[in-house]
Amino acid sequence: MLFHVNRLMLVAVFALGGAFARPVLGAEETAFAVYSAGIDGMLNDDLDRGLHAALVAMERNGFQMPMLDNDGDQAAISLLGQILMSRMHLELKMNPADAQAGEFPGSLQLSVFGNSGASVTEMSNRIKGLMERSRDLSERPVPDHQGLMQIQPNVGLQMPPMYWGEAKVGGEEAITISFNGMPSETGMDLSMFGLPSGVMTLAGLRLNFAAMSPVIAPVMMSGGPEGQQGMKVLEEFGILGPDAMDITIGYGVDSTNGHLAGRVTNMLKHWGMLMPEKGMSDSNLRVIPQDATAFSVRRMSMGRLPEFMNAMVDKVMPPDQMPKGPDGKAMEPMDMAVQMTQPVIGIDIVTEFFEYLGETIVIYRSNGTGGGGLFSLTGLIELSNPDGMKATLSTLASRLNSGLSQMSDGYVQLVDWSDEDELDMLTVAFPGIPVPVQVTLGVAGNQMILGMTPDTVRVAASQLRSSSSILNNSTFTTARGRASSKVFEMSYLDTAARMPEAYGFVAGLMTAINNFTMPTGTRIREIRSIMPAYGDLQQAAQPTLMMAMMDQDDMVIKGTGARSMMVHVTSMVGELMSSPMLLTAGVGGMVGLLLPAISQARNAAEMTHAMAEVRDIAVAVHTWSADHDGKLPNSLEQLVQGGYLEADRIMGHMDYYGMGLDMAAVKHPSTTIMAAKWLPENVAVVFMDGHVERMSYQEYEAHLNIQMPHGE
């Protein structure tokens, strides 16, 4: 089964290669690059040696999977495992100058260098075996290139040149697979990932959008006006154009630490409107408690978000395509947003929300705000006008609460309240339902605080008055080192704090791998441990710290952490156990509980609109009747034709019961239906006296059966 899927995947890959046309020559530029030292290379710390030995043993056993009984499937899985264990790089190089019209201006090459458990020759033999099994592909030797084969499809596809074989790449033996060009012997330049000198590169990624433009732009241009408009959007986001971004990120290790480095060019040119003039200061960090186990701080000009949105749309959307305002001029996107939302929420989201926001966003987890897990999650948004935001939250509560409570049958309420410390809070409560959260917004000092419970918000508010903070945490301050005023984003994780809950689970997983890799049918004389002792992991568990800063127009990322992959694995499992898994379950439960309320809110909005429509119909019918000696129109279309009613008021499933009727003949106008509009769950009904009601389908049909349409 897997082997057949493998064949289909190979054919699909080679079919995609049809976009390539011929080898290109001359100067080339890297457009896309991926480098990996492989699992074999990444497990190079003393604490990782047990897992490394187990995986090498598994590799030498052929990654045997008990559920697979097909030799081809086993061979494919073994080859995939060997590739993942191996050092390799994939590089797409572009050369638009040498490409003919309609040809793909680049070449793609994958090079795999083997690992300590499988040589290049061994993997090459596995590939040969799979090729021999394939009836969809054939190969032939390339003249004057010993060991190199050209691949040809047997399915009638027009293919570009594709090659594979063993070759020297950067002076080392490697398996190469290349599209649209002969394999290059030049090794990948790992300096492109920007890691410091003396750091061994373990992984890297590069996305050079400027080099990709010769491919992306023609595709967009072929889309007509919509494609050209899409090109403008991509230019604004830095994907196309002369200022397109070049993104690189790399990870590596030295003798003591793990290091992360990255760069995004031209960041300021595309996102500069949202960048504040000043970077991060200690005052931005003092809102974080000393016992925080994880946090993220970002500086951003949030008050300029409406201006940014307007500017982006103005650059890509022609004015004649924008909706017109009462003055006949094109409306700005945020003006439209205000026009749509203000009648519902009661505030101008630009002047009464965004303009109250400051320049710093903080998210953290700490023991004091809830044990360090999900319920300790706390968010803070700096405010430029705290009193204005208090008034805004109060208005939102008063405007939304009655409707929300009605739509949810009282099971969801917004509570606008203050505690004994006069902390103003807005809490989403769920009366009568055992929901495990009471999401709360509070305003304290110059911060708007968000927490899972009011208690979380109280503790976070008290931190604003505390004399201690994360700046008194020696683990953090040692990792940060000398502060820089250019930093505008910082993320921190206390790796050691995540290990206690995860160690037992990871130890069990490592034991399972250990058992699986032991040979069967022979006497086992020794058990080699995979999992390091808890104390050894704790000692090696350096915190993970990442910082982003500006270097002229570029964003530069720097990060440090533990050297051992086992430390990172254990910490990551602790993160999953303490937050995202619970968060997923919590959010899932919340969504399940709130979906009915959201659905009811949508239905209520539709019903409000429908009731307004049938009320307008009643007014039009009565006006018609006054102009036609008490007679009612024969149809609603007659009202439209006569100019008594707009055509959009009778859209949808409408019933009308006034045809051929004289208003004076209606004996019971308050119980006689004039017209009705059907909705997915209810019916909006207007009576002859002009009053409007909402009815269920059953109530509507029962009323029609009991009460004759003419009130007789």
Side-chain angles (χ1 to χ4, degrees):
M1 175 68 178
L2 282 177
F3 182 59
H4 295 302
V5 173
N6 241 329
R7 291 171 53 196
L8 291 174
M9 290 177 65
L10 281 172
V11 173
V13 168
F14 294 133
L16 287 174
F20 298 81
R22 66 179 181 88
V24 293
L25 304 172
E28 296 179 323
E29 184 176 8
T30 296
F32 174 75
V34 176
Y35 174 79
S36 170
I39 299 173
D40 183 60
M42 292 182 183
L43 299 174
N44 59 12
D45 189 79
D46 288 344
L47 295 176
D48 306 331
R49 288 183 177 177
L51 178 59
H52 177 264
L55 292 178
V56 170
M58 186 185 297
E59 181 180 30
R60 287 174 175 159
N61 290 335
F63 290 102
Q64 296 298 309
M65 299 294 169
M67 71 288 295
L68 301 179
D69 55 6
N70 183 289
D71 291 340
D73 294 346
Q74 290 283 8
I77 290 294
S78 294
L79 177 61
L80 177 61
Q82 288 175 339
I83 292 174
L84 293 177
M85 288 285 290
S86 300
R87 179 165 57 91
M88 58 181 152
H89 56 68
L90 174 70
E91 193 165 10
L92 171 64
K93 291 187 176 181
M94 308 300 293
N95 186 356
D98 281 356
Q100 300 295 326
E103 295 181 347
F104 186 89
S107 59
L108 181 70
Q109 179 171 331
L110 171 67
S111 302
V112 182
F113 297 89
N115 60 78
S116 59
S119 66
V120 167
T121 300
E122 183 180 344
M123 285 192 288
S124 178
N125 290 334
R126 285 193 181 276
I127 295 176
K128 290 176 183 177
L130 289 174
M131 291 292 294
E132 290 172 358
R133 292 171 179 270
S134 174
R135 293 188 295 270
D136 302 312
L137 302 169
S138 61
E139 57 184 3
R140 61 182 177 84
V142 178
D144 301 324
H145 290 81
Q146 185 176 359
L148 192 64
M149 308 294 289
Q150 183 169 0
I151 302 171
Q152 298 288 345
N154 298 328
V155 290
L157 296 175
Q158 190 69 28
M159 300 300 297
M162 290 171 287
Y163 308 91
W164 90 273
E166 295 182 43
K168 290 275 189 179
V169 178
E172 299 181 77
E173 292 291 337
I175 296 172
T176 66
I177 302 173
S178 62
F179 294 83
N180 208 41
M182 294 285 286
S184 170
E185 295 183 357
T186 304
M188 178 177 281
D189 180 11
L190 300 184
S191 67
M192 75 172 79
F193 303 121
L195 286 164
S197 176
V199 174
M200 180 175 64
T201 304
L202 297 183
L205 171 69
R206 182 180 185 185
L207 284 170
N208 184 355
F209 288 113
M212 291 183 184
S213 292
V215 179
I216 301 174
V219 174
M220 299 299 296
M221 290 293 290
S222 65
E226 293 81 5
Q228 295 176 17
Q229 189 168 317
M231 283 187 63
K232 292 182 180 179
V233 174
L234 294 181
E235 287 180 5
E236 290 304 315
F237 283 101
I239 309 300
L240 283 177
D243 296 325
M245 296 184 295
D246 186 356
I247 303 172
T248 57
I249 187 164
Y251 175 77
V253 295
D254 57 19
S255 59
T256 56
N257 296 90
H259 296 269
L260 183 75
R263 180 178 288 268
V264 181
T265 64
N266 297 320
M267 181 76 172
L268 203 61
K269 291 182 179 180
H270 300 287
W271 303 94
M273 187 180 293
L274 298 180
M275 299 295 295
E277 294 182 2
K278 296 181 179 180
M280 196 175 300
S281 66
D282 284 354
S283 62
N284 301 129
L285 298 173
R286 287 195 179 96
V287 302
I288 305 172
Q290 184 175 348
D291 64 348
T293 56
F295 71 76
S296 176
V297 182
R298 182 176 180 85
R299 293 274 292 161
M300 182 175 71
S301 299
M302 293 173 284
R304 300 191 70 184
L305 279 168
E307 181 185 355
F308 177 79
M309 294 298 298
N310 285 338
M312 292 290 286
V313 175
D314 288 343
K315 291 178 181 178
V316 302
M317 184 74 72
D320 58 353
Q321 294 185 16
M322 297 295 292
K324 303 296 189 295
D327 57 359
K329 296 181 180 179
M331 296 182 66
E332 294 284 7
M334 292 308 299
D335 291 338
M336 289 187 288
V338 170
Q339 190 178 72
M340 294 173 60
T341 59
Q342 190 167 15
V344 178
I345 63 179
I347 64 165
D348 183 319
I349 58 173
V350 174
T351 62
E352 296 178 282
F353 183 77
F354 283 108
E355 289 188 4
Y356 297 162
L357 300 179
E359 296 183 334
T360 307
I361 303 173
V362 178
I363 300 173
Y364 69 79
R365 297 201 313 271
S366 72
N367 294 328
T369 52
L374 171 67
F375 275 83
S376 69
L377 192 64
T378 307
L380 297 95
I381 299 177
E382 185 183 32
L383 299 175
S384 60
N385 187 343
D387 292 335
M389 186 59 75
K390 289 179 183 179
T392 289
L393 295 179
S394 181
T395 300
L396 284 172
S398 60
R399 178 61 68 92
L400 298 177
N401 194 44
S402 58
L404 182 62
S405 180
Q406 180 180 358
M407 287 183 288
S408 65
D409 294 329
Y411 290 114
V412 182
Q413 291 187 24
L414 288 174
V415 183
D416 183 15
W417 61 294
S418 299
D419 67 357
E420 60 273 11
D421 295 327
E422 298 184 354
L423 173 63
D424 296 320
M425 289 185 280
L426 179 63
T427 298
V428 183
F430 303 89
I433 306 178
V435 177
V437 295
Q438 291 179 330
V439 178
T440 299
L441 274 173
V443 176
N446 69 335
Q447 301 287 333
M448 180 166 64
I449 307 170
L450 175 66
M452 293 290 192
T453 67
D455 293 325
T456 299
V457 174
R458 286 195 188 98
V459 174
S462 68
Q463 170 60 35
L464 304 182
R465 305 184 298 271
S466 176
S467 59
S468 66
S469 69
I470 194 67
L471 296 173
N472 302 106
N473 184 318
S474 60
T475 303
F476 164 69
T477 54
T478 301
R480 183 177 69 153
R482 185 177 178 182
S484 171
S485 60
K486 295 182 179 180
V487 174
F488 70 91
E489 186 170 0
M490 181 183 294
S491 296
Y492 169 80
L493 174 66
D494 187 347
T495 306
R498 297 272 67 88
M499 287 189 171
E501 60 263 42
Y503 183 82
F505 180 86
V506 177
L509 178 62
M510 294 300 109
T511 301
I513 293 175
N514 202 353
N515 282 326
F516 183 67
T517 58
M518 289 180 182
T520 57
T522 61
R523 183 180 178 183
I524 299 172
R525 299 182 179 277
E526 181 183 8
I527 302 294
R528 295 183 178 180
S529 176
I530 294 181
M531 190 69 182
Y534 179 76
D536 293 338
L537 282 181
Q538 276 281 328
Q539 186 175 357
Q542 301 179 43
T544 300
L545 179 69
M546 289 190 292
M547 295 181 288
M549 58 204 74
M550 297 307 300
D551 178 14
Q552 298 183 2
D553 285 340
D554 299 351
M555 179 180 75
V556 176
I557 302 169
K558 295 181 179 180
T560 56
R563 189 178 192 277
S564 165
M565 285 296 164
M566 284 302 301
V567 169
H568 289 296
V569 168
T570 307
S571 175
M572 180 180 66
V573 171
E575 279 290 288
L576 292 173
M577 295 177 69
S578 67
S579 51
M581 290 176 66
L582 292 175
L583 180 61
T584 300
V587 170
M590 286 287 294
V591 169
L593 289 167
L594 293 179
L595 275 179
I598 295 171
S599 177
Q600 290 180 27
R602 183 181 64 251
N603 293 338
E606 292 177 350
M607 176 57 67
T608 300
H609 186 68
M611 293 175 78
E613 289 178 332
V614 296
R615 187 178 290 109
D616 290 346
I617 289 173
V619 172
V621 168
H622 280 280
T623 305
W624 172 283
S625 176
D627 292 344
H628 294 81
D629 300 324
K631 299 290 186 181
L632 273 65
N634 291 324
S635 67
L636 297 180
E637 288 76 10
Q638 197 171 10
L639 291 173
V640 175
Q641 294 168 3
Y644 289 84
L645 188 67
E646 296 292 334
D648 62 356
R649 310 309 280 174
I650 62 172
M651 300 294 289
H653 184 170
M654 284 282 191
D655 293 338
Y656 174 63
Y657 299 103
M659 61 285 288
L661 186 64
D662 192 314
M663 186 65 76
V666 179
K667 297 179 180 179
H668 307 290
S670 63
T671 59
T672 302
I673 296 175
M674 174 190 290
K677 180 171 184 177
W678 291 65
L679 296 176
E681 295 185 3
N682 294 285
V683 184
V685 181
V686 63
F687 292 81
M688 290 294 180
D689 66 348
H691 87 276
V692 178
E693 292 183 15
R694 177 177 63 181
M695 291 184 175
S696 66
Y697 297 153
Q698 293 80 5
E699 291 172 336
Y700 178 62
E701 292 172 356
H703 191 93
L704 290 178
N705 290 333
I706 295 172
Q707 179 66 50
M708 294 297 292
H710 301 323
E712 298 170 355

